[in-house]
Amino acid sequence: MKSIVIGSGFGGIAAALRLKAKNHSVTLIEKHPDLGGRARVFKKNGFTFDGGPTVITAPYLINELFELFNKKPEDYIKLTPLKIWYRFIFEDGTKFDYSGDESQMKYQIEKINKDDVKGYENLVKFTKKIFDKGFTELADTPFDKPLMMMKQLPALLKLKSYKSVYSLVSSYIKNEKLRRMLSMHPLLVGGNPFTTTSIYGLILYLEKKWGIHYSMGGTGHIINGLEKLMKEENIQIIKGHEVINIISSNNKIKGVKLDNQKKINANNVICNADPPAVYEKLLDEKKNTSLFRWKKKRMQYSMGLFVYYFGTKKTYDDVEHHTIKFGDKYKEHLDDIFDKKKLNKDISYYLHRPSATDSSMAPKGHDCFYVLVPVPNNQSGIDWSIEGDKIKNLVIDKMEKSLLPNLRENIVEDFYLTPDYFEKELNTKYGSGFSIQPKFTQSAYFRFHNKSEVCEGLYFVGAGTHPGAGVPGVLSSAKVLDKIL
Ligand SMILES: Cc1cc2nc3c(=O)[nH]c(=O)nc-3n(C[C@H](O)[C@H](O)[C@H](O)COP(=O)(O)OP(=O)(O)OC[C@H]3O[C@@H](n4cnc5c(N)ncnc54)[C@H](O)[C@@H]3O)c2cc1C
């Protein structure tokens, strides 16, 4: 059986390895000269900037890929659990160190609102129920048949999946700061906490179950380890070439055509590339039935991301590894991003400081950072060549005020990425950061199917397909594939 994987994100690499373990002859094709997709690495003057994922959860899903070939993960990668998972900072200066230490969690909750301690305990209990169903049972279950979805509906309704994550959290927690903090998880997978189905409340429990980890050497070190494994297992890797056409005949996959006009035959094509872009640009549109065209058209896309990478000539030792800073008008800000598709100055942001844990990420005496600001995706029509520098200056001003004093004069290396990078370089529709949004009407059966309904031998893994974005999500999508191919 000959299989081609298009794209080398975590989902694509996992699919290639899982199919190889089933004795397929596998070729992985990546447009860029380096692997990883959103998890690519940018190295500049001694700084190592992980492009995307930094919070590693459910590490067993990564370890399994090595174990498929009886290899020891620790010979390839090194994951370290973090003590403080996120430091939350609110506009009035209140800080909360979020971790797996339940007594510390309750102590800090009590300081903000005594009455919410019991609610927090009950919320965690409820998210365990969601986790047991939504992750343990369903994350790697194929949802390509409507019957499967019908069977799950009663249980999903019992778990209040019709509610948003924010509304679920608010039914247990009274204080607004705690509500924001405990409902922020959808933002990690491209959703608005005010509209994302409460099923994604499972992330709160998933973090507690296995902890939050950091990959020493950066997330790129995991990609390097997986690339080494793929080479050892004779997976053919073609870098620096884009697939421009998926070839089929009589609705059956025949292979792919590359940008150098070379054709490669295969029985199966597994797309790790963003599904809407694949259906629109790589396949003959005529294959899309009118029902499928409608499904594709009604999809709502995740927010865009403005990511500013910078290195400083001094260290900011009191800044945690992961910091989330909330703006003042949180809901209004999210409405602007997701619905009105406009920029807002009252930003919330996530600051990554890997050099807090790993000195190899920056030259001696220096610090390495990225700051991520959720912004509208490219349905906004924003001209990033004008707005990019404005957001960069806005976020530097904000960080100087509340976290990194005198930042501007200490920056020695910097660059940023906007939704244009996601659209043009990573081939993602509208430059969304996480493909389609994680809404109930776009989850499981309603998401892009892992086994395509329009062509035999065509499959999907990665953020736009079931179960969804985030490293655990896309690694689970490759496990779904394992069951259907
Ligand atoms: C800034 C940022 C921070 C994040 N932080 C976290 C985090 O802390 N924790 C977490 O779990 N998740 C995080 N995520 C989400 C997570 O990174 C993604 O959901 C996940 O990595 C996506 O993987 P994927 O398998 O869908 O493939 P992608 O990473 O999207 O890769 C797809 C690949 O396909 C290639 N490609 C596309 N079209 C073609 C073509 N025609 N021919 C050849 N190649 C093609 C692209 O070049 C790309 O390499 C973050 C994402 C971003 C952007």
Side-chain angles (χ1 to χ4, degrees):
M1 188 69 91
K2 211 170 159 202
S3 295
I4 287 175
V5 178
I6 306 175
S8 69
F10 267 106
I13 292 176
L17 287 163
R18 288 189 174 277
L19 293 177
K20 186 70 200 181
K22 291 171 92 170
N23 282 325
H24 288 221
S25 153
V26 180
T27 303
L28 180 133
I29 305 167
E30 168 55 51
K31 169 181 175 178
H32 291 282
D34 51 331
L35 304 187
R38 279 162 170 73
R40 293 171 77 193
V41 176
F42 305 100
K43 286 196 184 240
K44 294 204 183 236
N45 289 327
F47 293 98
T48 303
F49 296 108
D50 268 324
T54 55
V55 176
I56 302 297
T57 49
Y60 80 95
L61 286 166
I62 297 169
N63 293 339
E64 271 180 6
L65 298 174
F66 296 97
E67 287 154 4
L68 282 172
F69 303 95
N70 296 320
K71 303 271 169 97
K72 288 192 200 140
E74 58 274 23
D75 290 343
Y76 298 78
I77 58 173
K78 185 167 180 219
L79 302 182
T80 301
L82 293 186
K83 228 166 139 191
I84 293 177
W85 294 351
Y86 310 100
R87 171 167 291 165
F88 289 95
I89 305 183
F90 296 87
E91 202 65 357
D92 65 2
T94 311
K95 288 189 181 142
F96 192 109
D97 283 344
Y98 189 102
S99 74
D101 181 336
E102 287 306 309
S103 61
Q104 273 303 313
M105 286 291 286
K106 286 179 203 163
Y107 172 71
Q108 293 176 90
I109 291 172
E110 196 172 347
K111 278 206 310 197
I112 294 180
N113 185 19
K114 201 163 172 268
D115 294 344
D116 279 334
V117 174
K118 192 81 208 144
Y120 168 73
E121 286 171 358
N122 290 335
L123 172 67
V124 174
K125 278 187 203 143
F126 193 74
T127 57
K128 178 180 185 311
K129 285 189 198 160
I130 306 181
F131 171 86
D132 288 344
K133 185 76 190 173
F135 189 81
T136 311
E137 194 183 323
L138 299 181
D140 56 9
T141 295
F143 270 100
D144 50 329
K145 302 212 168 58
L147 189 64
M148 185 62 196
M149 191 73 193
M150 303 283 273
K151 270 201 221 156
Q152 299 305 330
L153 276 177
L156 294 176
L157 291 175
K158 210 169 149 206
L159 289 168
K160 306 187 180 159
S161 54
Y162 48 87
K163 282 193 172 192
S164 71
V165 174
Y166 182 84
S167 132
L168 178 83
V169 168
S170 300
S171 64
Y172 290 95
I173 304 289
K174 300 282 167 293
N175 179 274
E176 175 55 21
K177 284 190 183 118
L178 298 174
R179 282 180 174 179
R180 284 184 191 184
M181 189 183 81
L182 294 163
S183 69
M184 65 85 196
H185 294 95
L187 287 166
L188 305 179
V189 289
N192 180 347
F194 293 90
T195 56
T196 298
T197 165
S198 63
I199 293 299
Y200 283 84
L202 70 80
I203 303 175
L204 184 146
Y205 191 81
L206 179 138
E207 290 179 344
K208 291 189 185 296
K209 172 103 177 152
W210 291 290
I212 283 188
H213 300 256
Y214 170 74
S215 160
M216 295 307 283
T219 306
H221 194 59
I222 307 177
I223 298 294
N224 292 344
L226 292 170
E227 182 171 5
K228 183 166 179 258
L229 177 66
M230 286 196 289
K231 285 183 183 155
E232 287 167 359
E233 297 306 324
N234 295 321
I235 291 174
Q236 198 199 347
I237 303 174
I238 300 176
K239 295 184 197 174
H241 284 291
E242 186 168 356
V243 171
I244 55 165
N245 190 224
I246 296 175
I247 308 162
S248 62
S249 156
N250 296 327
N251 256 10
K252 253 183 146 168
I253 285 296
K254 294 289 169 206
V256 299
K257 185 170 159 190
L258 304 187
D259 53 5
N260 58 3
Q261 305 307 316
K262 187 178 169 190
K263 289 183 182 166
I264 308 176
N265 296 332
N267 307 94
N268 311 296
V269 169
I270 296 95
C271 300
N272 181 219
D274 196 35
V278 170
Y279 280 117
E280 280 165 20
K281 296 188 182 147
L282 303 190
L283 273 174
D284 178 1
E285 267 280 331
K286 281 191 276 222
K287 292 202 187 320
N288 299 345
T289 61
S290 45
L291 182 65
F292 182 76
R293 256 187 232 124
W294 170 79
K295 173 177 165 175
K296 194 156 55 76
K297 210 167 153 205
R298 75 172 178 88
M299 291 290 189
Q300 290 180 307
Y301 292 82
S302 80
M303 77 270 201
L305 300 172
F306 175 87
V307 197
Y308 176 52
Y309 304 82
F310 59 99
T312 56
K313 62 184 181 207
K314 63 168 274 191
T315 57
Y316 286 90
D317 297 329
D318 52 353
V319 175
E320 267 303 320
H321 190 134
H322 301 291
T323 302
I324 294 177
K325 167 79 176 54
F326 287 113
D328 190 24
K329 294 198 169 47
Y330 181 58
K331 182 170 186 314
E332 287 85 337
H333 179 44
L334 292 172
D335 283 348
D336 280 349
I337 294 170
F338 282 91
D339 300 331
K340 298 183 189 139
K341 305 268 187 292
K342 60 175 199 180
L343 291 166
N344 180 323
K345 288 201 164 118
D346 184 13
I347 52 171
S348 297
Y349 58 83
Y350 156 64
L351 179 67
H352 182 224
R353 180 177 170 247
S355 34
T357 306
D358 182 354
S359 60
S360 76
M361 302 300 275
K364 201 168 168 19
H366 293 59
D367 241 346
C368 174
F369 295 91
Y370 85 49
V371 61
L372 183 160
V373 186
V375 292
N377 64 34
N378 273 347
Q379 284 172 299
S380 65
I382 290 169
D383 182 345
W384 293 107
S385 68
I386 296 171
E387 296 303 327
D389 270 6
K390 289 190 198 161
I391 304 196
K392 169 183 145 175
N393 283 312
L394 174 72
V395 72
I396 292 177
D397 288 345
K398 299 253 179 199
M399 289 189 293
E400 275 198 327
K401 226 168 106 191
S402 54
L403 271 167
L404 308 172
N406 306 321
L407 172 61
R408 203 172 254 107
E409 66 200 52
N410 281 298
I411 294 173
V412 287
E413 191 63 62
D414 74 339
F415 65 100
Y416 59 76
L417 301 175
T418 71
D420 283 349
Y421 163 80
F422 291 89
E423 183 164 2
K424 292 175 191 147
E425 293 295 322
L426 296 180
N427 298 4
T428 309
K429 192 164 164 111
Y430 302 129
S432 73
F434 304 83
S435 193
I436 53 174
Q437 281 185 45
K439 296 186 145 189
F440 183 71
T441 49
Q442 302 189 165
S443 294
Y445 178 74
F446 305 126
R447 228 170 158 74
F448 286 105
H449 293 177
N450 304 94
K451 180 176 181 173
S452 172
E453 55 269 64
V454 309
C455 192
E456 203 186 319
L458 181 64
Y459 297 85
F460 285 87
V461 290
T465 187
H466 174 69
V471 175
V474 303
L475 293 175
S476 298
S477 72
K479 290 183 82 167
V480 177
L481 191 73
D482 227 2
K483 295 182 178 169
I484 54 179
L485 178 57

